[in-house]
Amino acid sequence: WAITIFGTVLLALIFANLARRMAQADGPYEYVRATQGDGVAFLAMWSYWVSVWVTNAALAVGVVGYLTAVLPALGALPPVLVAVGLIWLFAIVNLLGVRTGGGVQIVTTFLKLIPMAVIIGLGIWTLLVDPSAYTQNLPTTPVTMPSILAASAIVLYAMLGIESAAIPAGQVHHPERTIPRATIAGTVITALVYIGVTVIALFIVPQATLAGSSAPFVEVLDRLAGVGGGRWLAFFVVISGVGCLN
C-alpha cells in the first residue's frame, strides 16, 4: 500500500498541476494532445478505453461473487451469464441518457461508503474492547519482493480513477482550484479508507479463509458483527460494484 499510494499521489500531483496549467482542457486526452499531438493522444485514449472495458469484465465477475452471497438462488445460474447480464443492464441504463446514468452514480457512490464506514468503525471498536483479536490470526506468509510487486499491482488497480476528476474540467467552476483539490484529496481519502478496511481484514480473518473466499469482506463482518451480518455487507458491496460498472 505504501509503495503504490506514494506513486499514486505523485500521479495525482501531476494531474493537479496539469489542471492548473490547462484549466479548460477536458482531462487526459486534452493534456496529451496539447503536448504530444493528435496521434499520440489517439493511442493514449485508445489504450485507456481498452483498459476500461477490460476492467468492466473484472468488475462484473467480482460483483457476481458477492451477489450470490446476497441472493443464493443465483448460484444455480452460470456466473458468466450473470456477469454479462450486469454489463448489459448498465449499458441500457446509460443509453437512457446522461441524467439517468448520473443519478444512478450519485446513489451508488453514497451507498458504497456505508460498508466501508461500518467495517472501520467495528474494527476500531474491536481493537478497543478486545485487542487480542488482532494477534490471533497473523498472516504467516513471508514478505518477499515478488509478493510485494504482485500485491502492488492489485493495489494500483484499486486506486485507478485518479484521472477522473480532471475529465469534466471544462464544465466546473474555477477548475484551476477545484480539479487539483478534488484529485489530491480524493486520492488521499480513498487510500486511507482502503488501508483501513484491508488492515482490519488481514488481522481479523485467518489468511487461509481470506484466500479461499469469493466474498472476503463478508467473512470480515461475520467475525466483527456475528454470523449473518456479512450478507448485508455483501449487498452494499454489490451496490459498489454496479456503481463502478455504471
Side-chain angles (χ1 to χ4, degrees):
W1 276 108
I3 292 170
T4 306
I5 288 171
F6 177 74
T8 305
V9 169
L10 291 182
L11 287 172
L13 290 171
I14 291 171
F15 278 111
N17 189 44
L18 288 168
R20 292 189 186 98
R21 290 173 178 264
M22 294 181 276
Q24 297 303 315
D26 289 326
Y29 175 74
E30 292 289 343
Y31 299 155
V32 178
R33 189 173 71 167
T35 56
Q36 305 296 321
D38 289 340
V40 176
F42 173 82
L43 290 175
M45 293 312 294
W46 172 269
S47 300
Y48 181 71
W49 176 72
V50 171
S51 74
V52 169
W53 62 256
V54 170
T55 298
N56 282 345
L59 282 170
V61 171
V63 169
V64 170
Y66 281 93
L67 192 58
T68 53
V70 178
L71 301 171
L74 289 178
L77 298 175
V80 64
L81 293 182
V82 181
V84 171
L86 287 171
I87 292 174
W88 272 107
L89 172 63
F90 287 95
I92 293 170
V93 167
N94 282 271
L95 284 172
L96 294 176
V98 175
R99 185 178 298 275
T100 302
V104 171
Q105 199 61 44
I106 291 172
V107 173
T108 56
T109 299
F110 173 77
L111 292 177
K112 72 193 291 184
L113 293 175
I114 295 177
M116 300 293 189
V118 169
I119 289 178
I120 292 174
L122 289 174
I124 294 173
W125 173 256
T126 301
L127 180 63
L128 295 175
V129 300
D130 184 19
S132 63
Y134 281 86
T135 59
Q136 296 173 4
N137 300 300
L138 296 177
T140 57
T141 302
V143 177
T144 63
M145 184 56 66
S147 64
I148 290 175
L149 293 177
S152 296
I154 299 172
V155 170
L156 178 60
Y157 175 81
M159 293 299 296
L160 293 180
I162 57 173
E163 77 290 340
S164 299
I167 292 174
Q171 287 77 44
V172 301
H173 295 297
H174 308 296
E176 70 281 356
R177 296 200 307 269
T178 304
I179 300 303
R181 290 174 180 174
T183 299
I184 296 173
T187 300
V188 172
I189 292 171
T190 300
L192 292 175
V193 170
Y194 280 157
I195 289 174
V197 296
T198 303
V199 167
I200 291 169
L202 288 173
F203 284 98
I204 290 292
V205 182
Q207 186 180 22
T209 303
L210 285 177
S213 176
S214 63
F217 283 112
V218 173
E219 305 284 350
V220 175
L221 197 57
D222 278 345
R223 289 177 179 268
L224 290 174
V227 176
R231 187 173 180 180
W232 289 103
L233 177 62
F235 169 73
F236 286 104
V237 174
V238 168
I239 291 174
S240 175
V242 297
C244 290
L245 277 175
N246 182 58

